[in-house]
Amino acid sequence: MFHYQAQWWQSRLNGRCRSCKKERPDPVSMLCIPCYKRYKRNGSPDIPLPSLKHEIKQAESILSRYDVTEAALVFDKWMNSYVTRGGTLNKLCREFFVTLIGCNNKPLMDLNQVIKQTLAVSLYDGPVDEKRQQQQYLYGRASTSLLGQRKEVKGGRYHLFDVMRRPRLFKQAFNDVFISGGIARLLARIRKAEGLN
Ligand SMILES: [Zn+2]
């Protein structure tokens, strides 16, 4: 057993980066430093984050035909309780749904923004990194933070750079917010009504 493990580590130490094939990557992630940085920013070392500009516009025009006022009441209640808990993702949500205020004097994120962004992710049909579950990562990001749009924020949000570079946190967001917060269900209903499935 020990012999086997030693061999396993040796093979990893002598391995190559899983993305660019450079020698001597980090033995745990098996990625070299530049690839690991890309992975942290994009949820994949190989496939960049899609800009979703076109999809966001498309989603905006679809969403303008739906009234989500009632759903927003339920979601706001859920989110108001979610942000009071102590976890890293809960704190990130508190920033985007409560603390960070845009130029319209409203929080950067609300249900409308979440549906717009997750709908845009669902409309995107470019390449995604399946091995790294980049699509789940994208849905998680779209459910919790501003995605693919520039928005002026009073006070800025530079303090969030580190936490925004944690792919696993957004995969948690896929389960905790996109699924458990009821976004997936709402999105499925809108897509069905639009004949998108
Ligand atoms: Zn590399």
Side-chain angles (χ1 to χ4, degrees), residues 17-22 31-35 38:
C17 169
R18 277 186 179 147
S19 182
C20 71
K21 311 293 175 216
K22 216 167 97 180
L31 292 170
C32 69
I33 289 169
C35 290
R38 275 202 304 281

Side-chain angles (χ1 to χ4, degrees), residues 21 70 100 139 172:
K21 311 293 175 216
E70 237 172 90
L100 294 175
Y139 276 124
Q172 184 197 336

Side-chain angles (χ1 to χ4, degrees), residues 47-138:
I47 299 175
L49 210 63
S51 87
L52 298 176
K53 225 184 208 168
H54 174 71
E55 288 83 356
I56 294 263
K57 277 204 182 117
Q58 219 181 326
E60 222 160 45
S61 96
I62 291 174
L63 198 56
S64 68
R65 296 197 290 274
Y66 293 86
D67 181 6
V68 295
T69 321
E70 237 172 90
L73 289 175
V74 180
F75 179 78
D76 289 352
K77 209 171 153 194
W78 181 86
M79 185 52 88
N80 281 334
S81 147
Y82 187 77
V83 299
T84 59
R85 286 175 238 162
T88 306
L89 187 61
N90 307 72
K91 282 185 202 154
L92 184 74
C93 287
R94 185 154 63 226
E95 289 281 347
F96 278 97
F97 288 87
V98 181
T99 312
L100 294 175
I101 303 291
C103 285
N104 58 0
N105 284 319
K106 286 180 181 168
L108 282 192
M109 294 292 290
D110 58 14
L111 181 70
N112 214 66
Q113 189 71 31
V114 169
I115 301 179
K116 187 167 78 183
Q117 294 187 161
T118 51
L119 186 56
V121 171
S122 80
L123 294 168
Y124 172 71
D125 66 355
V128 286
D129 189 336
E130 279 175 38
K131 204 174 73 197
R132 307 254 174 198
Q133 299 178 307
Q134 197 185 21
Q135 193 171 36
Q136 293 193 3
Y137 166 85
L138 281 171

Side-chain angles (χ1 to χ4, degrees), residues 164-187:
M164 295 297 290
R165 289 179 182 168
R166 290 175 60 176
R168 260 189 246 164
L169 194 68
F170 292 116
K171 284 179 208 164
Q172 184 197 336
F174 175 81
N175 291 312
D176 280 16
V177 182
F178 182 68
I179 303 285
S180 303
I183 307 300
R185 242 175 320 161
L186 255 174
L187 192 65

